[in-house]
Amino acid sequence: MNKVEEFEDLRPLLFSIAYRILGSVGEAEDAVQETWLRYDASATEVASAKAFLSATVTRIAIDVLRSARVRREEYMGPWFPEPLLSDPYQDPARSAELSDSVSMAALLLLERLSPLERSVFVLREVFGFGFDEVAAAVERSEAACRQLLIRARRHMQAGRPRFEADRQEREELAARFFGALKDGDVGALRDLLAADVQLVGDGGGKAPQLARAVGGAKNVARLLAVNFPLLARIDVTSEPHDVNGQPGAIFRDRDGKVLHILALDVLDGQIQTIRMVVNPDKLSHLGPVADAWAVDREVKRARGQVR
């Protein structure tokens, strides 16, 4: 294969590495593109394109993450990863690790790690790279990488998310949830929610969002049952779709533009967490984005008509 063919063959892997390190679709795509530019400009004959490209994209992602962490510390409200609707890289031998590692819950745990810890964890635990390859990628000794991995595992295992193992059961529960949401059925919603369920939104100050997280099945069910039928009244539609490997939905305005994403964490037959991404900057990779403020005004008018 020539350079272009080698790169395109590995592009899904490179993106998947970068996304798990960065939690941003746009930044991951930029890191992959920069990796190609460096590969194309290199006159050095590489022994392994996979090793060279994986190391390059990892180093680029580490540099990007170091600057991004400052911005995230100043972020207005809760910060969530940019929604990923499908992971381009698939490996049947590591399907469980790949699926769990791309969930929003897992990516939020990764945010607690240093850029080096995060990169070592992603390369070793998620993608199964050898310690020699990990060490070359992060430019540290193998012994240092083993210590970084130990610290990363300790942080991750302390809050490691668990999810419903049976995909069909998970999808059936999600279908019941979105049906109850559309109908505004408080009782049905409450039955599907864990007692300590959390509803959290990420608007980044650029879209209407919850003032704070809402907790408890009764409170969350009531809030959802009141507000989401109003969205349907103004022709907002929902499209069930996996979000970061977990059940979710894309909500669109009457013109088909993306309004927000809803992602669910499901465990033991109940919904544990509901995350809503409303920040338009995190939705633009999915297509044209709706004016959330205009939709919010319509909802308020609809609410006034109800009263």
Side-chain angles (χ1 to χ4, degrees):
M1 289 193 291
N2 60 35
K3 269 190 171 183
V4 173
E5 292 169 334
E6 286 177 329
F7 181 81
E8 290 302 326
D9 187 53
L10 290 165
R11 181 189 287 272
L13 171 63
L14 302 179
F15 173 85
S16 294
I17 291 171
Y19 177 76
R20 285 164 174 80
I21 294 174
L22 294 167
S24 164
V25 172
E27 289 174 348
E29 289 175 341
D30 289 345
V32 172
Q33 182 60 26
E34 177 62 23
T35 299
W36 160 249
L37 293 175
R38 294 188 189 184
Y39 186 46
D40 187 44
S42 174
T44 305
E45 188 77 22
V46 299
S48 166
K50 178 182 177 182
F52 178 87
L53 292 169
S54 298
T56 302
V57 81
T58 297
R59 291 176 201 144
I60 292 169
I62 288 172
D63 289 341
V64 173
L65 182 60
R66 283 173 174 151
S67 61
R69 286 169 76 90
V70 176
R71 297 194 302 273
R72 291 174 191 179
E73 288 172 1
E74 300 170 349
Y75 194 80
M76 185 177 294
W79 179 93
F80 294 159
E82 289 183 9
L84 184 68
L85 300 188
S86 62
D87 189 350
Y89 179 72
Q90 300 296 323
D91 179 357
R94 305 192 67 81
S95 59
E97 293 92 337
L98 290 170
S99 178
D100 287 351
S101 67
V102 83
S103 71
M104 285 203 173
L107 291 173
L108 288 170
L109 277 177
L110 284 171
E111 282 291 305
R112 302 179 186 180
L113 307 181
S114 72
L116 281 177
E117 289 170 343
R118 184 167 182 163
S119 300
V120 169
F121 184 89
V122 167
L123 291 176
R124 177 64 182 174
E125 293 289 285
V126 179
F127 294 97
F129 279 72
F131 273 110
D132 57 334
E133 298 170 301
V134 175
V138 302
E139 299 177 302
R140 295 294 189 276
S141 68
E142 289 189 36
C145 288
R146 291 179 190 277
Q147 289 302 311
L148 287 166
L149 182 62
I150 288 171
R151 291 201 296 270
R153 280 174 175 166
R154 188 180 303 128
H155 285 297
M156 293 297 289
Q157 288 171 357
R160 193 158 202 156
R162 295 184 300 127
F163 302 107
E164 191 69 58
D166 190 307
R167 184 178 183 86
Q168 183 176 346
E169 289 182 13
R170 189 178 65 188
E171 291 177 349
E172 288 174 354
L173 185 146
R176 295 200 303 273
F177 170 80
F178 287 112
L181 195 64
K182 183 178 180 181
D183 295 338
D185 189 333
V186 176
L189 285 169
R190 192 168 56 239
D191 290 343
L192 298 171
L193 302 175
D196 58 351
V197 65
Q198 291 280 308
L199 170 63
V200 193
D202 173 356
K206 298 185 176 184
Q209 66 185 70
L210 298 168
R212 61 181 63 86
V214 179
K218 182 178 179 180
N219 294 331
V220 172
R222 184 186 298 117
L223 180 65
L224 294 174
V226 167
N227 287 284
F228 276 80
L230 292 174
L231 290 174
R233 182 172 297 187
I234 61 170
D235 300 322
V236 170
T237 58
S238 63
E239 171 191 331
H241 204 295
D242 275 3
V243 178
N244 289 74
Q246 303 301 315
I250 306 170
F251 285 75
R252 301 181 185 273
D253 70 3
R254 61 169 57 91
D255 298 319
K257 296 180 178 179
V258 180
L259 177 62
H260 63 252
I261 294 287
L262 217 61
L264 311 177
D265 287 350
V266 178
L267 178 65
D268 297 332
Q270 292 184 308
I271 295 167
Q272 308 290 326
T273 309
I274 304 170
R275 295 185 179 88
M276 187 162 58
V277 180
V278 193
N279 185 339
D281 294 346
K282 297 186 177 184
L283 302 173
S284 58
H285 64 285
L286 303 177
V289 179
D291 183 343
W293 296 107
V295 172
D296 186 57
R297 288 192 294 272
E298 281 196 74
V299 168
K300 288 176 179 176
R301 285 196 294 269
R303 185 179 291 116
Q305 290 168 1
V306 170
R307 293 174 181 172

